């Protein structure tokens, strides 16, 4: 894991920008239900129809921002995964070339290359998709829990007690 972290830190700028995009997307996702509540409670129930259109324009703007940030996040995390994949493959190939010829007499080269290719591909998928998904889910859970505690701490505690055995 330390070696992979070394490769990830080479792409620190992309990792930070991708993660910041992710945080902004999650924040927008957390704001959306509050805006929906305003439309229903104030706009429809209280009859303040004049606030519905501005809130819908806010929805449109947030959706466009979320789409741009989502593309940026996906692109950067995939770029990081591809870059780590390339660096690992290059370093591993250089290492294999340093072996003595006798090593290849006793080892099936095709099997060696196949295993190396598959292992590096798995690392690429883990970084490009798994790392992003892991961080994203932790942030969603954390932000949602904070908002739920803000809205009703008693109901939130009941939900967390019920969910604890499931996890």
């Amino acid at each position: 894991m330390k070696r992979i972290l070394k490769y990830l830190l080479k792409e620190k700028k992309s990792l930070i920008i991708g993660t910041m995009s992710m945080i902004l997307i999650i924040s927008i996702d957390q704001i959306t239900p509050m805006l929906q509540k305003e439309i229903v409670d104030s706009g429809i129930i209280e009859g303040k129809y004049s606030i519905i259109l501005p809130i819908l324009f806010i929805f449109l703007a947030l959706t466009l921002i979320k789409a741009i940030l989502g593309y940026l996040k996906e692109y950067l995390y995939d770029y990081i995964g591809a870059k780590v994949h390339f660096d690992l493959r290059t370093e591993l190939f250089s290492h294999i070339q340093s072996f003595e010829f006798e090593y290849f007499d006793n080892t099936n080269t095709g099997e060696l290359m196949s295993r190396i290719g598959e292992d590096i591909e798995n690392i690429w998928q883990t970084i490009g998709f798994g790392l992003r998904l892991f961080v994203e889910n932790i942030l969603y859970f954390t932000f949602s829990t904070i908002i739920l505690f803000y809205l009703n701490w008693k109901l939130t505690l009941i939900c967390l007690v019920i969910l604890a055995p499931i996890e």
Side-chain angles (χ1 to χ4, degrees):
M1 188 65 188
K2 286 183 182 180
R3 282 189 178 177
I4 294 173
L5 192 59
K6 175 185 79 171
Y7 290 107
L8 278 173
L9 291 177
K10 288 181 186 177
E11 302 301 322
K12 195 182 317 182
K13 183 178 176 184
S14 297
L15 194 61
I16 290 171
I17 293 171
T19 304
M20 292 306 295
S21 297
M22 181 188 308
I23 290 170
L24 289 172
I25 290 168
I26 293 170
S27 300
I28 290 171
D29 281 343
Q30 303 299 320
I31 292 170
T32 303
M34 292 177 195
L35 291 174
Q36 291 170 341
K37 177 187 177 298
E38 261 325 289
I39 287 177
V40 172
D41 290 349
S42 299
I44 296 173
I45 293 175
E46 293 179 14
K48 297 177 186 174
Y49 300 112
S50 61
I51 69 164
I52 294 175
L53 195 58
I55 292 176
L56 289 176
F57 280 121
I58 292 171
F59 267 119
L60 179 64
L62 289 176
T63 302
L64 290 173
I65 291 169
K66 190 175 158 186
I68 292 167
L69 291 173
Y71 177 80
L72 182 66
K73 172 194 70 166
E74 294 291 332
Y75 176 80
L76 288 174
Y77 270 92
D78 201 35
Y79 168 78
I80 292 166
K83 186 76 169 106
V84 169
H85 177 261
F86 177 78
D87 291 346
L88 270 172
R89 185 170 272 189
T90 303
E91 186 176 315
L92 198 52
F93 185 71
S94 297
H95 178 70
I96 289 172
Q97 282 186 321
S98 70
F99 290 168
E100 297 292 327
F101 284 117
E102 297 156 357
Y103 176 80
F104 297 104
D105 290 340
N106 300 325
T107 306
N108 184 344
T109 309
E111 181 182 333
L112 178 67
M113 295 308 290
S114 174
R115 287 178 51 204
I116 289 170
E118 187 176 324
D119 289 347
I120 291 178
E121 185 74 25
N122 288 338
I123 291 170
W124 179 8
Q125 292 298 325
T126 301
I127 291 171
F129 180 71
L131 177 66
R132 179 191 57 81
L133 193 62
F134 178 72
V135 172
E136 200 169 41
N137 285 327
I138 288 173
L139 290 174
Y140 266 116
F141 181 78
T142 304
F143 286 4
S144 297
T145 304
I146 290 169
I147 290 172
L148 287 173
F149 269 112
Y150 172 75
L151 294 175
N152 189 335
W153 67 271
K154 293 175 188 175
L155 191 57
T156 303
L157 284 177
I158 292 169
C159 289
L160 290 176
V161 167
I162 292 170
L163 284 175
I166 295 172
E167 294 176 6

